[in-house]
Amino acid sequence: MKNRDEISYMMLGEEQIVSLGEEEINDLKMKEKTGDIPILTLRNNNLFPLISNPITVGRPKSLRLVKEAYENDLLIGVVSQKTPEVEEPGAEDLFLTGTLAKILRIIPGPEGMQTVIIQGIQPMEVEAFTAFEPYVKATVVPREEYVPSGDKEFSETVNLIRKLSVEAIRLNPAVPNEAAQAVKNMRDPHFLVNFVASNLDVPIETKQKLLAAYNIKERALEVLRLLRIELEKIQLRREIEDKTKSALDKQSREYFLHQQIRTIQEELGEASAQEIEELRQKAREKNWPEYVAKHFEKELKRLQRLNPQMAEYAIQRNYLELLLDLPWNEYTEDNFDLKRAQEILDRDHYGLDDVKKRIIEYLAVLKLKKDMKSPILLLYGPPGVGKTSLGKSIAEAIGRKYIRMSLGGLKDEAEIRGHRKTYIGAMPGRIIQMIKKAGTSNPVFVLDELDKIGSHYKGDPSSALLEVLDPEQNKEFYDNFLELPYDLSRVMFIGTANYFYDIPWALRDRLEVIPISGYTIEEKTEIAKRHLIPKLLEEHGITDKDFKLGKKHVEKVIVHYTRESGVRGLEKMLAKLIRHRAKQIAVEEPYKPTLTLKDLREILGPEKYKSELYEKRMIPGVVTGLAWTRVGGDILFVESVLSKGKGISITGNLGQVMKESATLAWEYLKANAAKFNINPKIFDEHKVHIHVPEGATPKDGPSAGVTLFTSILSSLTGRKVKPRLAMTGEITLRGKILPVGGIKEKILAAKRAQYDEIVLPADNRKNVEEIKPEYIEGLTFHYVKHIRELPKLVFQESGKAKQGHKQ
């Protein structure tokens, strides 16, 4: 700058804008009253002579004024508005004292706005506003500022202004320290006084009074007074901050947070207090235990001390809302009308008589002893037999809420017990969440797929369930997030599983076990007619007038297109038939409501399973065994053949136990060859190869012992086994036949495959007697205790089957 201290500048992007020098300003000054000149109105700012300021311009009138003045190199007048909110100011809205100025530069801004650098030239008085369109114009009278020279009082005043300005900059953290050095370097007293006056944090009206003081000495004295007030405010703020910091060092963090929340509440009014009062009012309406009420009040006071901006505030509020939402001491009234319960169970589930009987017995005990702890039931059986839906029917039967939680693949213990509140994103466990969702403390709670819980480095969920499913412990179930004991003793927990022994043993010990077997063909037919077809017709928007399927046709679908213990596969096949009919209706194809056997083949394709799995032309060494799988019973063929060599070889993806059974059978025959009319030399000259088809499927278990023995004996003697005979049983090295499990499932599998003779261990007779007579109608059972009894029962004799125990 020329002849002036280099202080009035600013950085805009990469450019440095510098004000005019003293000579340029003097050349631009006006001596006499001017005609109409453009008037730029400022909302929240004042412009002082000698000072250059950036002004943001956005109003259309102002933009036009700035453009024309800049392009034509015109002086403009700058005045301030009395009220910043006025968008189109009139004469009454503007101050009459302003500053003549020149536009130094225009810098384009966002959204059509512009930043204008204007240089103050000299004071002026508006004599009259002459126009307001296209922008404000006025006749103005220029004024001169009087700057005393040689006045010691003025010089000392300027020095004090400089000193106090430097001190104010030092104490104000919002102002960079470089500004203090710049103020020290200012030597022009006129410029220094106007610069400080322009930057004072005072109202526009006060700055207008400073601008109207044309005697710079008077202006300097008033600036000094205002600067002292400003400095006292800054010092007072610093003292308050120092005191607060000292208090923080001496007192606890909790007290500091309390002070902060009080200040915030004073600033924001009663909003926070009202929120706290609403939570307290809800708590008064809760019928919860006394210890919960005390804990809630304690946690509510803690919430009052927290700053709402802190992350912990949201967690604390969520915690209190959980306490309010949980159904403490809220129970639905049980409806122990056992006849109605039986009707609902019969309506929703065909068959399963033993299961329904056990459930009704439990409900009867609950009715007689009303405060009895709810039993922990386990329904286990193959997929698709109605385990999960039984829980829903029980809930409806006794009038309780129904909730279901799937445990398949669950690996994190926190899913059961919840997270501690100290963690970000903490939540209660799913047990508490489900109880909250049910809105009652005695729902029917189905824990689905108990056998599919996994263990993980985050913990073992099955161990966390021990407390939930123990009637002696769940009265005070502890959730990590809730941090209070919750009574689950009146919840009726019902677990479901496909495989009983995959449930951890400690958990099995706490459960009342109700096994559910697969369905017979007759039961599946009734289920399809009563439940599946009506449900599928409704889902597909078809009436029973448009779709009819006879009983024989349903049986054909069951026998030839499904092979399962449950009815899920059957439901898929029926849905395929109904979808085909829906397509015919939608495209207006001609059709007959009743499906024929030909229709079944066209829609479902060729038969997937043969109705007769036995081989009509049996050969020696081929025997049919019965097996239990996780999805129900099944049949398997065991084949054996003799060849030159010595010993025994086994194939078919067999497990260790099954291989041992085969070896045991071979060694028993080798040791007792004479008893079975076998030449001992055959064991030295031949080896036996045993194979179980479907080699991709793993097979194991001791119950194939009888089948393996019969297959080897058939190969050694050349005798054929009866074609419609199946068998199961475990053998010992002494020749005894031991009982096995899964009898009902195995019998149903044999009946599905149309076998009519079954060899069973004698000790399994009691299992057969428990089965309904209609399920085993037409089957012949042979009960054996020793291997020696097998040849007379299993081999063909003169083309006639030997009769056994008829059921």
Side-chain angles (χ1 to χ4, degrees):
M1 291 178 68
K2 300 175 182 178
N3 304 320
R4 193 167 301 283
D5 306 295
E6 293 186 3
I7 180 60
S8 181
Y9 68 90
M10 58 175 293
M11 295 299 294
L12 295 174
E14 299 293 330
E15 297 186 74
Q16 185 182 62
I17 309 302
V18 184
S19 66
L20 296 178
E22 185 176 353
E23 294 179 5
E24 290 92 339
I25 291 175
N26 288 332
D27 292 341
L28 293 170
K29 284 183 178 180
M30 292 183 176
K31 307 300 181 183
E32 299 177 355
K33 180 174 72 173
T34 67
D36 292 352
I37 68 170
I39 301 297
L40 180 64
T41 59
L42 305 183
R43 290 179 187 265
N44 295 294
N45 206 349
N46 302 78
L47 180 65
F48 280 76
L50 309 182
I51 305 302
S52 62
N53 274 350
I55 305 296
T56 301
V57 178
R59 290 184 280 193
K61 290 183 179 181
S62 299
L63 290 169
R64 182 170 179 178
L65 181 154
V66 167
K67 181 180 178 183
E68 293 181 5
Y70 184 67
E71 291 176 351
N72 299 304
D73 199 22
L74 301 176
L75 286 180
I76 64 172
V78 180
V79 297
S80 299
Q81 293 182 202
K82 296 176 182 178
T83 306
E85 292 78 16
V86 178
E87 187 68 24
E88 297 287 344
E92 70 280 1
D93 300 315
L94 300 171
F95 289 106
L96 299 180
T97 303
T99 304
L100 284 168
K102 179 177 177 60
I103 298 176
L104 300 181
R105 185 167 301 180
I106 298 176
I107 301 173
E111 299 180 359
M113 303 183 72
Q114 294 180 343
T115 299
V116 181
I117 311 302
I118 56 176
Q119 171 71 57
I121 304 297
Q122 67 186 115
M124 69 173 194
E125 294 286 344
V126 176
E127 188 173 80
F129 290 101
T130 58
F132 289 92
E133 295 294 341
Y135 42 75
V136 181
K137 295 181 181 179
T139 300
V140 301
V141 179
R143 302 295 185 188
E144 282 291 340
E145 293 182 310
Y146 171 71
V147 182
S149 60
D151 189 327
K152 292 183 179 180
E153 184 182 0
F154 176 66
S155 298
E156 189 60 31
T157 301
V158 172
N159 288 335
L160 283 173
I161 290 174
R162 179 183 290 107
K163 180 180 178 182
L164 294 180
S165 297
V166 171
E167 181 67 12
I169 292 171
R170 185 182 65 82
L171 295 176
N172 192 344
V175 181
N177 294 329
E178 291 80 2
Q181 186 61 38
V183 171
K184 288 179 182 179
N185 294 334
M186 289 183 187
R187 293 292 173 257
D188 185 340
H190 186 186
F191 180 80
L192 175 61
V193 172
N194 285 0
F195 179 81
V196 175
S198 177
N199 288 282
L200 282 173
D201 186 14
V202 294
I204 291 177
E205 293 82 357
T206 304
K207 288 189 177 182
Q208 280 295 131
K209 292 178 182 179
L210 292 174
L211 186 60
Y214 302 133
N215 189 324
I216 297 303
K217 181 178 180 181
E218 294 177 4
R219 185 183 294 171
L221 290 171
E222 182 63 17
V223 168
L224 181 60
R225 186 183 72 83
L226 295 172
L227 193 56
R228 284 185 183 280
I229 295 173
E230 181 73 16
L231 186 59
E232 287 177 3
K233 290 181 180 178
I234 294 174
Q235 290 173 338
L236 183 60
R237 283 197 292 267
R238 289 293 296 268
E239 289 175 5
I240 293 173
E241 290 177 0
D242 291 342
K243 288 180 181 178
T244 305
K245 184 177 180 181
S246 176
L248 181 62
D249 293 339
K250 294 178 181 179
Q251 300 177 16
S252 66
R253 179 174 179 269
E254 183 177 346
Y255 176 77
F256 171 73
L257 294 175
H258 182 66
Q259 292 295 100
Q260 290 287 335
I261 195 62
R262 282 181 56 187
T263 304
I264 291 170
Q265 288 176 346
E266 290 173 2
E267 293 281 344
L268 300 179
E270 296 299 322
S272 298
Q274 182 179 355
E275 186 177 328
I276 297 297
E277 185 56 33
E278 287 177 359
L279 293 173
R280 187 172 277 116
Q281 180 59 36
K282 290 180 181 178
R284 295 190 189 103
E285 299 170 1
K286 295 292 290 185
N287 179 29
W288 49 21
E290 183 64 24
Y291 71 90
V292 180
K294 290 181 180 179
H295 183 77
F296 179 86
E297 187 61 30
K298 175 184 174 184
E299 295 296 323
L300 186 62
K301 290 179 180 178
R302 186 165 181 264
L303 180 69
Q304 288 180 283
R305 297 192 296 269
L306 291 174
N307 187 334
Q309 304 301 322
M310 298 174 61
E312 190 179 355
Y313 181 88
I315 295 176
Q316 185 69 6
R317 179 174 172 79
N318 289 340
Y319 176 67
L320 292 173
E321 289 179 345
L322 173 68
L323 289 177
L324 291 171
D325 291 340
L326 281 173
W328 304 90
N329 291 333
E330 296 179 24
Y331 303 98
T332 53
E333 186 176 351
D334 290 329
N335 179 5
F336 288 119
D337 185 346
L338 300 187
K339 291 183 179 179
R340 174 177 173 272
Q342 184 70 55
E343 290 174 359
I344 291 174
L345 292 173
D346 290 338
R347 179 199 70 193
D348 295 341
H349 297 84
Y350 182 82
L352 304 179
D353 293 330
D354 291 340
V355 178
K356 295 175 188 175
K357 181 180 177 183
R358 293 280 295 273
I359 291 172
I360 294 297
E361 289 173 354
Y362 275 117
L363 298 181
V365 176
L366 283 173
K367 179 179 180 180
L368 295 176
K369 195 165 186 199
K370 298 178 182 179
D371 61 343
M372 174 185 174
K373 295 177 181 178
S374 292
I376 314 295
L377 303 179
L378 173 67
L379 307 175
Y380 85 91
V385 295
K387 299 184 296 297
T388 304
S389 58
L390 265 170
K392 197 168 186 178
S393 299
I394 293 170
E396 183 184 351
I398 61 177
R400 291 193 182 187
K401 294 289 183 67
Y402 168 79
I403 49 178
R404 172 185 167 274
M405 175 179 170
S406 178
L407 300 174
L410 196 69
K411 294 183 178 180
D412 190 352
E413 180 187 347
E415 291 286 336
I416 305 296
R417 287 194 177 276
H419 308 82
R420 298 193 180 277
K421 294 205 309 284
T422 52
Y423 299 113
I424 294 175
M427 294 175 62
R430 290 173 64 184
I431 299 293
I432 293 297
Q433 289 184 45
M434 291 291 186
I435 294 293
K436 170 187 167 184
K437 180 180 178 181
T440 174
S441 293
N442 65 336
V444 172
F445 199 134
V446 173
L447 296 169
D448 224 356
E449 311 292 355
L450 267 174
D451 55 332
K452 295 177 180 61
I453 298 178
S455 59
H456 199 248
Y457 71 91
K458 293 183 178 179
D460 184 2
S462 64
S463 298
L465 280 174
L466 295 177
E467 182 183 3
V468 177
L469 299 180
D470 191 334
E472 298 300 324
Q473 299 182 41
N474 63 14
K475 185 176 179 61
E476 295 184 343
F477 171 68
Y478 186 84
D479 184 277
N480 291 326
F481 185 85
L482 186 61
E483 295 182 343
L484 289 171
Y486 194 89
D487 185 5
L488 298 178
S489 63
R490 295 180 67 175
V491 177
M492 180 179 281
F493 287 103
I494 299 177
T496 72
N498 295 133
Y499 186 53
F500 181 67
Y501 293 100
D502 273 355
I503 302 173
W505 67 269
L507 204 54
R508 295 201 305 263
D509 188 55
R510 288 163 166 78
L511 303 172
E512 297 285 344
V513 180
I514 301 179
I516 301 179
S517 304
Y519 295 113
T520 63
I521 295 175
E522 293 78 13
E523 286 177 327
K524 288 183 180 182
T525 302
E526 288 299 320
I527 291 171
K529 300 292 286 185
R530 296 186 185 189
H531 301 287
L532 299 182
I533 294 178
K535 183 184 80 168
L536 291 170
L537 288 175
E538 183 179 353
E539 289 178 355
H540 291 78
I542 299 176
T543 65
D544 54 3
K545 295 179 180 178
D546 298 318
F547 181 89
K548 297 182 183 297
L549 193 64
K551 183 177 179 180
K552 291 184 178 180
H553 298 77
V554 174
E555 289 182 358
K556 183 173 182 64
V557 174
I558 294 170
V559 173
H560 294 286
Y561 292 94
T562 66
R563 179 152 293 163
E564 57 180 347
S565 297
V567 292
R568 283 188 185 147
L570 173 60
E571 185 175 2
K572 293 175 183 177
M573 291 295 121
L574 294 174
K576 190 172 182 180
L577 295 173
I578 294 173
R579 284 197 303 272
H580 184 270
R581 177 54 45 84
K583 186 205 77 172
Q584 289 178 321
I585 296 173
V587 300
E588 299 181 354
E589 291 181 4
Y591 65 89
K592 293 181 179 180
T594 303
L595 269 68
T596 64
L597 294 176
K598 182 180 179 182
D599 294 331
L600 293 183
R601 184 175 181 85
E602 289 179 358
I603 299 170
L604 301 180
E607 297 175 356
K608 295 182 180 180
Y609 305 102
K610 294 181 179 180
S611 59
E612 298 181 352
L613 289 179
Y614 62 87
E615 298 186 26
K616 294 182 179 179
R617 297 180 180 178
M618 299 291 287
I619 61 174
V622 178
V623 185
T624 304
L626 298 176
W628 181 91
T629 70
R630 299 191 182 193
V631 294
D634 201 359
I635 66 170
L636 55 84
F637 292 105
V638 176
E639 304 171 348
S640 63
V641 64
L642 294 178
S643 60
K644 292 293 183 179
K646 191 174 183 181
I648 182 173
S649 60
I650 305 169
T651 57
N653 201 355
L654 307 187
Q656 185 62 34
V657 175
M658 207 163 174
K659 289 179 179 179
E660 290 173 356
S661 296
T663 304
L664 191 152
W666 173 257
E667 294 297 335
Y668 181 85
L669 285 169
K670 189 175 180 181
N672 297 274
K675 296 179 180 179
F676 295 95
N677 297 321
I678 300 173
N679 186 350
K681 293 182 179 180
I682 197 172
F683 295 99
D684 297 326
E685 299 172 355
H686 295 80
K687 74 171 184 177
V688 64
H689 183 104
I690 301 173
H691 177 70
V692 181
E694 297 187 21
T697 305
K699 312 167 193 72
D700 201 8
S703 63
V706 169
T707 311
L708 291 165
F709 173 86
T710 304
S711 177
I712 297 173
L713 181 60
S714 175
S715 295
L716 291 172
T717 60
R719 300 175 68 183
K720 300 177 183 178
V721 178
K722 296 176 183 178
R724 293 179 180 268
L725 181 140
M727 59 188 68
T728 184
E730 180 181 357
I731 62 174
T732 70
L733 195 57
R734 293 176 295 165
K736 288 187 175 182
I737 298 179
L738 303 181
V740 292
I743 293 299
K744 183 177 179 181
E745 288 81 2
K746 292 176 179 179
I747 292 173
L748 292 178
K751 192 171 183 181
R752 281 198 301 268
Q754 299 190 6
Y755 284 79
D756 54 21
E757 286 188 79
I758 300 176
V759 175
L760 295 175
D763 289 339
N764 283 125
R765 182 189 293 267
K766 61 181 182 295
N767 302 108
V768 178
E769 292 172 351
E770 293 175 354
I771 303 173
K772 281 188 176 183
E774 55 265 30
Y775 289 176
I776 56 178
E777 185 179 355
L779 297 179
T780 300
F781 294 92
H782 304 284
Y783 300 107
V784 292
K785 293 183 179 181
H786 198 277
I787 288 176
R788 291 192 299 268
E789 303 173 32
L790 289 174
K792 295 180 181 180
L793 298 173
V794 301
F795 293 125
Q796 299 182 32
E797 295 182 4
S798 303
K800 297 181 180 179
K802 188 177 182 65
Q803 297 298 311
H805 177 68
K806 192 79 173 177
Q807 294 286 337

